[in-house]
Amino acid sequence: MDKFLRRKDSSSRTDDEEPSTSATQNLKKVVKRKYDEDYIKYGFSWCGDETAPRPQCIICDDQLSNESMVPSKLKRYLYSSHPSYANKEKQYFKRC
């Protein structure tokens, strides 16, 4: 049991070793999603920069983050925020 309770001495570490919680390990990879024409069936168009487009709701003009440009999140937004428009066809949103 003693071998599990022993702690490493901080003086035994050499100067060239980095601590285990370095800043480079904590960085997340940023994913920039692209707009797909099929997102119109969920009531979304895009706005902003072409390199990082943001989804924009056609019904209420809300802009979501680029991370929300996933079909499941767009569908959830449509069903929770605009349930009366959830069963509309793709052509309806194109006309809007």
Side-chain angles (χ1 to χ4, degrees), residues 8-89:
K8 293 183 179 181
D9 188 15
S10 61
S11 63
S12 66
R13 185 175 47 177
T14 60
D15 292 336
D16 59 343
E17 292 180 12
E18 291 185 20
S20 62
T21 58
S22 67
T24 57
Q25 292 176 351
N26 294 336
L27 294 177
K28 286 186 175 182
K29 182 180 177 185
V30 177
V31 177
K32 293 184 180 177
R33 300 189 179 272
K34 302 292 182 188
Y35 179 76
D36 188 12
E37 291 297 325
D38 289 335
Y39 294 163
I40 193 76
K41 67 182 176 186
Y42 303 118
F44 280 90
S45 180
W46 68 278
C47 64
D49 190 19
E50 283 190 27
T51 58
R54 296 181 60 181
Q56 182 176 13
C57 181
I58 294 174
I59 301 164
C60 64
D61 291 332
D62 270 351
Q63 290 183 8
L64 304 179
S65 67
N66 183 273
E67 298 160 350
S68 299
M69 202 176 292
V70 180
S72 61
K73 290 183 181 181
L74 298 177
K75 187 176 181 180
R76 182 178 64 188
Y77 180 86
L78 178 65
Y79 278 83
S80 64
S81 298
H82 309 293
S84 60
Y85 294 98
N87 296 325
K88 298 288 183 182
E89 294 183 10

